[in-house]
Amino acid sequence: MHDGRFTNLEQVVEFYNSGVVDNPNLSPPLRLPPQPGQPAGAVRRLNLTTQQKAALVAFLKTLTDPNLATDQKYSDPFNYGN
């Protein structure tokens, strides 16, 4: 993640699954809308099963392109095809 606290995708998914904690700076999408019987703005968690977490990680890994970051044609952001 952005601050380097997680070393793999599984840890990131687990964080959003069960590790999000309430904080005044918590992003609004990580808060639930007000619901009866719950405090306004309660923390949103994924609450996925072990199998669902594994499936999510597997899907996210399909979005990785190991060649893009090392492809020479993308190495110069100022080269517009010349």
Side-chain angles (χ1 to χ4, degrees):
M1 292 205 16
H2 65 282
D3 62 1
R5 76 175 104 169
F6 303 122
T7 59
N8 59 51
L9 195 51
E10 289 81 3
Q11 291 174 342
V12 174
V13 169
E14 184 57 44
F15 171 76
Y16 285 109
N17 189 62
S18 62
V20 177
V21 295
D22 198 7
N23 181 297
N25 299 322
L26 190 63
S27 176
L30 292 175
R31 293 193 181 280
L32 293 169
Q35 298 175 3
Q38 286 191 341
V43 174
R44 178 188 308 266
R45 294 189 181 90
L46 297 177
N47 298 315
L48 302 173
T49 66
T50 300
Q51 185 176 7
Q52 290 169 325
K53 289 186 286 186
L56 176 57
V57 169
F59 167 73
L60 292 172
K61 286 182 177 181
T62 68
L63 304 176
T64 300
D65 182 351
N67 300 316
L68 181 68
T70 58
D71 193 324
Q72 188 63 31
K73 68 182 173 186
Y74 300 120
S75 65
D76 183 354
F78 303 103
N79 180 352
Y80 299 106
N82 300 330

